[in-house]
Amino acid sequence: MRQQRGGVGAGRREDDPGLLTRAVNRAFRFVRLAEFEIFFVLFFLIAFFLFKDLMSQPQYNQLFVKKPDLDNPWP
């Protein structure tokens, strides 16, 4: 019989990284490539949720719901 050298994981070459290492490296490479787009989307999502939360308060909501005075000649 043939003996394996190195014990556990001896079937893999030493210069070949594992599946998890390759997946993590690809994920970091994608984040570095799309960093601007990710921050751009995050900025608008955060701004949207802050604006939505601010406008859900009744005192601010009255500005948008209040009907204009039709008797006033000035616009």
Side-chain angles (χ1 to χ4, degrees), residues 7 12 18 20 26 36 38 41 43 49 64 67 69 71-72:
R12 208 175 46 169
L20 184 62
R26 285 187 185 192
F36 174 76
I38 292 170
V41 169
F43 171 75
F49 283 117
F64 297 112
K67 302 250 189 235
D69 187 16
D71 294 333
N72 192 358

Side-chain angles (χ1 to χ4, degrees), residues 13-27:
R13 292 181 10 197
E14 292 179 17
D15 60 342
D16 184 28
L19 180 63
L20 184 62
T21 303
R22 287 188 308 232
V24 169
N25 286 339
R26 285 187 185 192

Side-chain angles (χ1 to χ4, degrees), residues 18-58:
L19 180 63
L20 184 62
T21 303
R22 287 188 308 232
V24 169
N25 286 339
R26 285 187 185 192
F28 280 124
R29 202 173 339 150
F30 173 75
V31 168
R32 269 188 254 121
L33 178 70
E35 184 176 4
F36 174 76
E37 288 82 2
I38 292 170
F39 284 137
F40 186 77
V41 169
L42 280 176
F43 171 75
F44 278 106
L45 282 175
I46 292 169
F48 170 75
F49 283 117
L50 285 176
F51 184 76
K52 183 177 144 259
D53 185 47
L54 180 67
M55 290 298 121
S56 68
Q57 297 177 9

